[in-house]
Amino acid sequence: MQKALSNSRVLSAFKSAARPASTCPYASNPDQIKSKYDVVIVGAGHNGLVTANYLAKFAKRKLNICVLERRHVIGGAAVTEELYPGFHFSRASYLLSLFRPVIIKDLDLMRHGMLKFHFRNPSSYTPISLGDPQYTSQSRSLTLGPDATFNREQLSKFSQKDAVNYEKYEHWIGKICDVLEPMIDLPPPSAKEFAKMGLYEKLKYMRGYIKDVSALKFYANNFEDIYRLFTEPAANILDEWFESDVLKASLATDSVIGAMLSPYSSGSGYVLLHHIIGGVDGQKGVWAYVEGGMGAISNCLARNAKSFGDQIDIFVEQDVKRIEVMDGKDQTKVVKGVTLANGKFVEADYVLSNCTPEVTFNRLLGEYEFEKSENDELSNFFKRIRNINYESGTMKINLAVKSLPNFVADPNRSDGKPMPHHQTTIHLNCENMKLIDDAYNDAKFRKIASQKPVIEMVIPSSLDPTISPKGSHVILLFCQYFNKTNDEREKEKYVKLVMDSIEAYAPGFKDSILFKDVLTPADLESVFGLTGGNIFHGALPLDQLFINRP
């Protein structure tokens, strides 16, 4: 009891000494906000910072740019926060893969020396619980990584067929990713604009999405596979490739992470594809730790912004209350700036938003009631925006611990140093497909928290010594499926379900915890502006992707 009280006192003293504005070295003094800018960007998340940098570097004329952030730190979900003395948490996003290489190249971000990546080998670990029929003295866990020989050895414990097929599967889905990946760097195609074009313009337009003859041939020869990945349940595809439940379930976690889906839900195949289409530093399909946490990405972007001199002003603790518009020509509306929560008006020729469509269009522009506009195109756009699905069952828990989890399946070394599996993404309650599906059904249909939640655990301090004191560790938990609540008692029930699950795989885990930061879907929305707690700015069903975006 005295130990817990001591930790509480330390944390209380630490919080009372917090210095919100000064925690961001790249922020300007709010007294220096000008009355007029060429461009105002709402939100200093990584997307907003990327936008500011591109405008400063590539605009045809010099622009004065203002970035306004509601929180006391920049980065949005790509942020590092010291919530407990000496422990630095990637509080929301926690692994790097989908940050586009072209951005790093275009902005020459590596020149600042701020981005160091820790690659994980192995990269995936699924311990098997004692009661699972797959558990034997020889097959207590499944560990996978970039080494094909290692993977075959691991998989042969469960299925010789899977040991052979896994490399074929990776080649198959990797080829599809190679062809689809360039589309990520393009704006989504507009069916409405396409319909207005002549034949030559249509061919030219399509060329932007199908770069060459080889890509065209690939689409023609693999259309069925691509269509199935976009529309079918991931379980269908994995069942056709593999027979061992632990392998299918380990891979299926990528089909549900951040989504209110089961591997048996239509469209989960695309979520699986979405999570393996990226890469880091030229290595395709990998997820890496960023040294210093995910905030290093945002800080690097902010430092780069400062390299443009006085072109970009970044301000924290500046909450935008409204985007202001005025009447233009022919029943159009023209933006005139933003009004802050403190009443200050900042004029701008252009306003760009780093926020979700819900926040941008329904809150910051909500009072204009554009749904009722006599301009049909404007009215229909806002009606579609209002119908966007943000469903999510995500809870993020950030932990400071005094020792590494000691898994029954693979006990720790006597010296307490990290073992290979500690650097991986650790999948708990994920050794068979039924566990994942049951967790989803609890939340979706029974309207209760998942009784055995799907847990993705990472321990970035196993590779990055800069984020925790020596011998102690930062553990980040991404958990599903939980309903949106602000009730503290419900949150504690959620946390207990997660901790009890981990304790079953790694006895003594609870006793190692020094501090915890719990973010339910409601917290992810209130703290980071992620509507519904959805990490994608909206769910990823096919009816909200590609030509179906509003």
Side-chain angles (χ1 to χ4, degrees):
M1 183 68 176
Q2 181 60 42
K3 187 170 186 178
L5 184 61
S6 174
N7 284 335
S8 176
R9 284 174 178 162
V10 170
L11 183 58
S12 177
F14 178 72
K15 284 187 172 179
S16 66
R19 57 254 182 248
S22 65
T23 58
C24 181
Y26 305 103
S28 301
N29 187 320
D31 294 335
Q32 297 174 351
I33 298 179
K34 303 181 184 76
S35 59
K36 171 73 166 67
Y37 287 89
D38 296 309
V39 180
V40 163
I41 298 174
V42 182
H46 72 283
N47 290 316
L49 294 170
V50 166
T51 303
N53 276 280
Y54 266 80
L55 287 172
K57 184 169 183 177
F58 296 108
K60 292 181 179 179
R61 65 178 178 86
K62 183 178 178 180
L63 298 174
N64 291 314
I65 302 161
C66 175
V67 184
L68 298 168
E69 171 56 44
R70 173 177 57 89
R71 297 194 70 215
H72 65 282
V73 290
I74 62 166
V79 67
T80 303
E81 296 188 62
E82 186 182 7
L83 303 175
Y84 188 77
F87 292 82
H88 302 267
F89 300 93
S90 291
R91 199 175 178 201
S93 64
Y94 52 97
L95 285 165
L96 185 71
S97 182
L98 297 174
F99 189 72
R100 303 303 301 145
V102 67
I103 296 173
I104 295 175
K105 180 181 178 182
D106 283 353
L107 300 178
D108 194 17
L109 295 180
M110 299 305 291
R111 67 193 164 99
H112 299 293
M114 298 176 68
L115 298 181
K116 181 178 179 181
F117 310 123
H118 293 280
F119 295 94
R120 308 175 308 155
N121 183 14
S123 56
S124 171
Y125 173 68
T126 307
I128 299 174
S129 56
L130 290 170
D132 191 287
Q134 298 174 100
Y135 185 97
T136 70
S137 60
Q138 301 301 314
S139 55
R140 298 173 301 183
S141 63
L142 174 63
T143 307
L144 298 171
D147 187 295
T149 301
F150 175 82
N151 292 339
R152 282 195 297 271
E153 291 172 354
Q154 283 284 308
L155 289 166
S156 64
K157 298 185 298 185
F158 300 94
S159 165
Q160 291 295 334
K161 176 184 173 184
D162 288 357
V164 173
N165 277 356
Y166 182 67
E167 194 170 353
K168 295 178 181 177
Y169 165 82
E170 285 206 308
H171 177 76
W172 168 75
I173 204 164
K175 289 292 290 182
I176 293 174
C177 287
D178 286 346
V179 174
L180 292 177
E181 185 183 10
M183 289 192 185
I184 297 177
D185 299 323
L186 300 171
S190 167
K192 186 178 295 184
E193 293 301 316
F194 188 75
K196 298 176 183 177
M197 297 176 185
L199 178 59
Y200 175 75
E201 290 174 309
K202 286 179 177 177
L203 292 172
K204 186 177 179 181
Y205 187 76
M206 291 174 63
R207 178 71 184 274
Y209 298 90
I210 303 175
K211 294 294 184 183
D212 51 37
V213 174
S214 63
L216 182 62
K217 286 182 178 178
F218 185 87
Y219 282 119
N221 294 332
N222 297 275
F223 178 78
E224 182 181 356
D225 287 345
I226 295 171
Y227 183 80
R228 292 187 64 200
L229 274 167
F230 269 76
T231 59
E232 285 195 23
N236 288 9
I237 294 160
L238 295 172
D239 280 343
E240 291 172 19
W241 277 96
F242 308 115
E243 58 187 15
S244 56
D245 216 6
V246 64
L247 174 59
K248 289 187 286 186
S250 296
L251 296 175
T253 58
D254 274 341
S255 74
V256 302
I257 196 76
M260 184 58 90
L261 296 172
S262 158
Y264 296 96
S265 302
S266 295
S268 58
Y270 171 73
V271 181
L272 171 68
L273 186 67
H274 180 89
H275 282 102
I276 58 178
I277 206 168
V280 180
D281 203 23
Q283 299 187 39
K284 293 185 178 182
V286 305
W287 291 78
Y289 298 126
V290 182
E291 185 160 297
M294 292 298 288
I297 294 287
S298 301
N299 287 335
C300 184
L301 287 164
R303 179 172 175 177
N304 197 72
K306 292 303 178 183
S307 70
F308 296 105
D310 61 354
Q311 272 193 264
I312 303 175
D313 290 334
I314 300 172
F315 299 99
V316 295
E317 296 185 300
Q318 301 300 313
D319 188 8
V320 175
K321 183 179 180 181
R322 251 184 347 264
I323 296 175
E324 306 287 0
V325 300
M326 58 185 176
D327 291 331
K329 297 178 181 179
D330 303 322
Q331 293 186 323
T332 60
K333 298 290 183 180
V334 179
V335 70
K336 61 179 182 180
V338 299
T339 297
L340 305 181
N342 61 17
K344 183 178 179 64
F345 172 69
V346 183
E347 185 181 353
D349 296 326
Y350 298 92
V351 174
L352 308 178
S353 177
N354 190 171
C355 308
T356 68
E358 167 66 24
V359 172
T360 303
F361 297 106
N362 292 337
R363 297 184 197 174
L364 300 183
L365 286 166
E367 69 176 52
Y368 293 99
E369 297 185 316
F370 286 128
E371 281 187 29
K372 300 177 182 179
S373 171
E374 294 181 6
N375 183 318
D376 289 342
E377 187 173 359
L378 183 63
S379 173
N380 290 336
F381 173 80
F382 273 82
K383 288 174 182 176
R384 290 194 66 190
I385 289 291
R386 194 169 294 281
N387 288 330
I388 290 176
N389 173 13
Y390 294 95
E391 195 173 23
S392 171
T394 296
M395 180 167 68
K396 178 81 188 301
I397 303 177
N398 304 303
L399 302 173
V401 300
K402 60 187 177 183
S403 59
L404 289 163
N406 189 12
F407 294 101
V408 172
D410 295 277
N412 287 356
R413 302 188 325 188
S414 59
D415 62 9
K417 291 183 178 180
M419 296 173 67
H421 63 268
H422 286 124
Q423 68 183 264
T424 69
T425 295
I426 299 166
H427 307 288
L428 304 177
N429 290 334
C430 299
E431 57 264 47
N432 65 68
M433 296 286 275
K434 186 176 185 301
L435 277 172
I436 302 175
D437 191 45
D438 284 349
Y440 166 76
N441 288 330
D442 281 345
K444 181 67 175 179
F445 300 111
R446 300 184 187 102
K447 304 302 180 183
I448 60 173
S450 298
Q451 298 304 288
K452 287 192 174 182
V454 173
I455 303 168
E456 185 168 289
M457 172 193 287
V458 296
I459 313 173
S461 53
S462 62
L463 292 177
D464 179 4
T466 70
I467 59 174
S468 64
K470 187 176 181 180
S472 300
H473 288 277
V474 164
I475 291 182
L476 311 174
L477 305 174
F478 195 88
C479 315
Q480 294 175 225
Y481 303 81
F482 297 94
N483 298 311
K484 189 175 177 180
T485 181
N486 289 309
D487 189 316
E488 290 299 322
R489 290 172 300 180
E490 282 297 302
K491 285 174 66 171
E492 285 303 315
K493 290 179 183 177
Y494 291 178
V495 173
K496 186 176 187 304
L497 287 167
V498 172
M499 298 306 159
D500 287 349
S501 288
I502 300 173
E503 189 77 14
Y505 289 93
F509 180 75
K510 291 180 183 178
D511 292 337
S512 72
I513 298 172
L514 300 170
F515 166 82
K516 65 178 181 290
D517 170 47
V518 181
L519 297 163
T520 65
D523 297 318
L524 290 169
E525 179 169 329
S526 64
V527 175
F528 298 105
L530 299 173
T531 301
N534 190 290
I535 64 174
F536 305 115
H537 277 211
L540 296 177
L542 192 58
D543 62 6
Q544 292 190 171
L545 298 174
F546 211 51
I547 62 172
N548 289 322
R549 291 180 63 172

